[in-house]
Amino acid sequence: IGEKKKVLEAVKSGRKKKDIAEEFGIPASTLSTIIKNSKEIDLNFPIDRKRKRGPDFSDVEECVFKWFKQCRDANVSTGGPILKEKAENFAKSLSHEQFKASNGWLENFKKRHDISFRKVCGESAGVSDNVVNEWKINLSELLEGYKPCDIFNADETALFYKCMPDKTLTFKNEKCSGGKHSKERLTLLLAVNMTGTDKLKPLIIGKSKNPRCFAGVKSFPVNYTANKKAWMTSELFAEWLLRIDKQMKIQKLKILLFIDNCPAHNIIPNYQAIKVKFLPPNTTSKSQPLDQGIIKTFKTLYRKEIVRKIISDMDDEKSTVIDILQAMRIVHKTWRNIATSTIVNCFRTCGFVLESEKDDTLMPIIENTDTDDREWAMIANRYRIVEETFDDFVKSTMTLPFLVF
């Protein structure tokens, strides 16, 4: 097949048939036959195979392949077990009782159609621009009657609070499920208003209700709670909302809170001072202010504080240990240090703009969070890091999965 493809390419180049036949050492009649049957030759077929062997159940194969293409066109993720199950369904409807969607069939199906399974990253492919644009158009009606300082957004994120430079490389391309790494993860809930003037006290969710580092400590810079998985749950989120509602009632405020529709947010009772609005499903990567740069800036600044602590410990000739109490203090400091302009612009990017501000020019969304090259050079030397930069150090903890239930 590979040779036939080369012959056809030579024919398409406009060369004389006599010269082509001599080059490939074939009779003129054979060349004519190849040209005559060119439509039957699969140009996408691997050139290293001598012959094309078709599937035993071609009608089932055709149905599965068309269904697979429809799934990809709609950006629907499909895996091996799903394909096998769908093939069994097609075979049953086509009365092929002998057909079995084995692992061997799946591997051959992938080879025949040049299919490879890859990890799907990010949410942007699943975001409908039409839905986002329509949301932004109707957003002004939802904001009507509320001052900018009374419009809030809340969201959870995973924080690998102990992530040290010598461990960063081991985190890349690894799942956060069980084992040592998940024990070092906290869930962090952040909430801020549209003007950036009211950053609500963060909520941290850990695994231990009373960590040893809490011994003797009477007050904490941020709120803390715990469960076995260190995940946000609907009960914990409802408790957080109740606490914020009481806080707003004391201040005699009525706020509008925008959240995503994750499973942990499914219990929303009626509150006196809080009105909750859900963002459109599967659009938070483009419609949620905290996802537009606020969380990224927070994590960058958090890692910057970690770098400074390591340098300080190096000067004092002691090893660096980050416990939950220290992480809480760093979270509190970092959250306070995020610039108001960053928050305002992230809200504006998502369409949270007053009528009087619609013609204003947007400033850069994310503030400059670069760390001092000399600081990172000291860390790189201490931990013998050759290729990794501070940017890599930050990004490695931003791409890990975040879990809620």
Side-chain angles (χ1 to χ4, degrees):
I1 293 176
E3 290 182 358
K4 289 179 180 179
K5 288 167 67 174
K6 291 179 181 179
V7 168
L8 292 174
E9 289 173 0
V11 172
K12 288 182 180 179
S13 66
R15 294 170 56 189
K16 293 182 179 180
K17 294 182 179 179
K18 181 180 178 180
D19 294 338
I20 295 173
E22 290 180 357
E23 178 184 346
F24 288 93
I26 57 176
S29 59
T30 301
L31 176 60
S32 299
T33 302
I34 293 174
I35 296 173
K36 181 181 178 180
N37 299 327
S38 60
K39 292 183 179 180
E40 299 176 6
I41 298 174
D42 185 359
L43 296 178
N44 295 320
F45 194 73
I47 62 174
D48 58 343
R49 290 172 63 183
K50 292 184 178 180
R51 63 178 60 88
K52 182 176 181 180
R53 180 182 176 183
D56 293 333
F57 300 90
S58 57
D59 49 355
V60 174
E61 180 108 353
E62 184 180 357
C63 291
V64 175
F65 183 65
K66 286 183 178 180
W67 178 82
F68 177 76
K69 287 181 66 178
Q70 291 172 357
C71 290
R72 294 312 306 139
D73 291 340
N75 283 317
V76 177
S77 299
T78 56
I82 295 176
L83 274 180
K84 289 162 64 176
E85 180 66 24
K86 195 65 181 176
E88 294 278 5
N89 291 340
F90 280 127
K92 186 177 181 180
S93 63
L94 293 170
S95 301
H96 292 310
E97 296 180 0
Q98 302 90 349
F99 176 84
K100 185 176 180 181
S102 62
N103 289 333
W105 171 87
L106 178 62
E107 289 303 315
N108 290 330
F109 175 82
K110 288 161 58 179
K111 289 178 182 178
R112 285 192 288 268
H113 300 284
D114 195 24
I115 294 171
S116 61
F117 292 140
R118 300 176 182 174
K119 181 179 179 181
V120 178
C121 300
E123 300 176 352
S124 57
V127 177
S128 169
D129 289 333
N130 293 332
V131 173
V132 174
N133 292 333
E134 185 178 353
W135 165 260
K136 289 182 178 180
I137 293 172
N138 298 327
L139 188 56
S140 57
E141 296 180 9
L142 298 176
L143 304 182
E144 193 173 340
Y146 288 89
K147 299 177 182 178
C149 59
D150 295 333
I151 299 169
F152 286 76
N153 175 219
D155 191 27
E156 300 92 347
T157 185
L159 179 65
F160 287 78
Y161 69 102
K162 279 188 176 183
C163 185
M164 304 293 285
D166 65 334
K167 293 183 180 178
T168 304
L169 292 176
T170 66
F171 283 148
K172 290 182 178 178
N173 300 322
E174 292 190 12
K175 296 180 180 180
C176 174
S177 55
K180 181 178 179 181
H181 295 163
S182 64
K183 292 179 181 178
E184 299 180 346
R185 172 184 54 81
L186 299 171
T187 294
L188 178 66
L189 174 61
L190 299 174
V192 64
N193 68 347
M194 184 174 163
T195 58
T197 55
D198 193 358
K199 301 169 187 170
L200 301 183
K201 184 181 288 190
L203 170 66
I204 288 180
I205 305 173
K207 285 191 171 184
S208 175
K209 290 185 178 181
N210 294 296
R212 292 180 182 179
C213 57
F214 286 6
V217 180
K218 295 182 179 179
S219 62
F220 300 94
V222 300
N223 295 319
Y224 180 84
T225 187
N227 59 45
K228 290 182 180 180
K229 298 290 186 179
W231 291 349
M232 175 61 78
T233 66
S234 54
E235 291 79 12
L236 291 180
F237 189 73
E239 291 175 8
W240 178 81
L241 278 177
L242 182 61
R243 183 162 57 247
I244 299 303
D245 186 62
K246 291 180 179 179
Q247 178 182 327
M248 295 303 165
K249 283 193 292 184
I250 292 173
Q251 299 177 23
K252 297 182 179 180
L253 296 175
K254 289 187 179 294
I255 68 170
L256 180 62
L257 177 65
F258 287 88
I259 57 175
D260 59 39
N261 65 337
C262 80
H265 300 165
N266 59 2
I267 300 178
I268 308 295
N270 292 323
Y271 296 100
Q272 296 181 23
I274 302 176
K275 183 177 181 181
V276 175
K277 286 290 183 181
F278 287 101
L279 297 165
N282 304 317
T283 64
T284 54
S285 61
K286 293 185 179 180
S287 64
Q288 180 152 249
L290 280 159
D291 283 343
Q292 288 300 312
I294 299 174
I295 289 177
K296 181 179 186 299
T297 301
F298 169 84
K299 289 189 175 181
T300 303
L301 293 176
Y302 182 93
R303 297 300 164 202
K304 193 170 183 178
E305 291 297 323
I306 295 292
V307 168
R308 288 174 175 167
K309 176 167 177 53
I310 294 172
I311 292 175
S312 175
D313 290 341
M314 286 168 57
D315 292 339
D316 295 337
E317 297 182 351
K318 63 180 182 180
S319 59
T320 300
V321 178
I322 308 293
D323 57 29
I324 294 178
L325 183 60
Q326 289 173 319
M328 292 169 71
R329 289 168 178 163
I330 297 174
V331 165
H332 174 72
K333 179 181 179 181
T334 302
W335 185 229
R336 294 297 113 191
N337 286 341
I338 294 180
T340 301
S341 59
T342 297
I343 296 170
V344 171
N345 283 308
C346 288
F347 269 87
R348 295 183 69 186
T349 300
C350 294
F352 289 78
V353 183
L354 299 178
E355 290 293 332
S356 59
E357 298 176 331
K358 284 188 176 180
D359 296 328
D360 292 349
T361 303
L362 283 175
M363 296 179 290
I365 293 178
I366 303 174
E367 62 196 272
N368 182 10
T369 54
D370 293 339
T371 191
D372 191 320
D373 289 339
R374 292 171 299 177
E375 291 180 339
W376 185 248
M378 293 177 66
I379 300 298
N381 183 59
R382 168 66 174 81
Y383 288 91
R384 298 179 182 178
I385 302 170
V386 180
E387 298 178 353
E388 188 176 303
T389 65
F390 179 73
D391 250 2
D392 297 328
F393 176 45
V394 174
K395 290 177 182 176
S396 66
T397 57
M398 290 188 186
T399 57
L400 293 166
F402 168 61
L403 308 171
V404 294
F405 70 93

